[in-house]
Amino acid sequence: MKQKERMLAGQLYLVDEELAAEMRHTAGVLWQFNSEPEPEVRAALLRGLLGGTGRSFKIEPPFRCDYGSHIYLGENFYANYELIVLDQCDVRFGDNVMLGARVSLFSAGHPLDADIRNTGLEYGRPITVGSNVWMGGCVTVNGGVTIGDNAVVAAGAVVAKDVEANTIVGGVPARLLRRIDG
């Protein structure tokens, strides 16, 4: 099994030349994106990089990711400045998602055992964000998390566990603050 296949399957893997080349390509596209003043040109660059997008989306520069090809944006997606997505596994967003400034989504993980970690092995866990989700500024979402539809994540929260639909969570680690009545 190739290292990329291991990565996408959530198994331990090493960054090999194929993965390193993909990251170099992504870094070049992001350099263009982050330097480009025209929103239409930036959107075209991301359409060529990301795994999929809706017709309408906007990511404010600067934006950082590892690969891009494992990121999928629903319709009417918006991310404010300094979005970071470590996309070792799929990171999927539903429709009408709004992200505040400095939101980070980390599908990457590292072994807890120091001897294994020091070999350079890492793994990934997918992240799924439902539709109509709003995340405040400086939210961090860890790998393996699913955020349900209509959820609100308060600014500064660290989301390490799944978030139910129609709820507001906040804190470190994020916990249920209240349910949203429909």
Side-chain angles (χ1 to χ4, degrees), residues 62-85:
F63 167 50
R64 299 280 189 260
C65 65
D66 283 330
Y67 300 97
S69 57
H70 312 130
I71 301 170
Y72 299 86
L73 307 180
E75 194 62 46
N76 200 31
F77 176 89
Y78 177 77
N80 211 324
Y81 304 109
E82 298 184 28
L83 174 64
I84 297 173
V85 182

Side-chain angles (χ1 to χ4, degrees), residues 20-100:
E22 285 186 38
M23 286 191 285
R24 285 191 303 273
H25 168 75
T26 298
V29 173
L30 291 177
W31 183 86
Q32 292 175 341
F33 172 86
N34 291 323
S35 302
E36 177 56 54
E38 295 300 324
E40 299 82 18
V41 176
R42 289 195 308 260
L45 287 166
L46 290 183
R47 278 191 181 93
L49 178 68
L50 301 182
T53 70
R55 291 182 311 273
S56 173
F57 70 93
K58 185 173 185 181
I59 297 177
E60 302 286 358
F63 167 50
R64 299 280 189 260
C65 65
D66 283 330
Y67 300 97
S69 57
H70 312 130
I71 301 170
Y72 299 86
L73 307 180
E75 194 62 46
N76 200 31
F77 176 89
Y78 177 77
N80 211 324
Y81 304 109
E82 298 184 28
L83 174 64
I84 297 173
V85 182
L86 302 186
D87 60 317
Q88 280 66 21
C89 285
D90 285 356
V91 179
R92 295 182 177 272
F93 298 92
D95 297 335
N96 304 307
V97 171
M98 295 181 358
L99 306 179

Side-chain angles (χ1 to χ4, degrees), residues 139-163:
V139 165
T140 299
V141 179
N142 290 340
V145 166
T146 296
I147 298 176
D149 292 344
N150 309 309
V152 175
V153 181
V158 175
V159 182
K161 294 183 179 178
D162 290 352
V163 174

Side-chain angles (χ1 to χ4, degrees), residues 104-174:
S104 300
L105 298 102
F106 302 139
S107 77
H110 301 279
L112 297 178
D113 181 284
D115 290 334
I116 297 172
R117 186 173 55 249
N118 291 338
T119 67
L121 285 166
E122 55 188 271
Y123 62 88
R125 299 284 183 263
I127 297 171
T128 303
V129 177
S131 293
N132 308 308
V133 170
W134 172 31
M135 294 183 208
C138 299
V139 165
T140 299
V141 179
N142 290 340
V145 166
T146 296
I147 298 176
D149 292 344
N150 309 309
V152 175
V153 181
V158 175
V159 182
K161 294 183 179 178
D162 290 352
V163 174
E164 291 182 41
N166 304 301
T167 60
I168 301 172
V169 300
V172 179

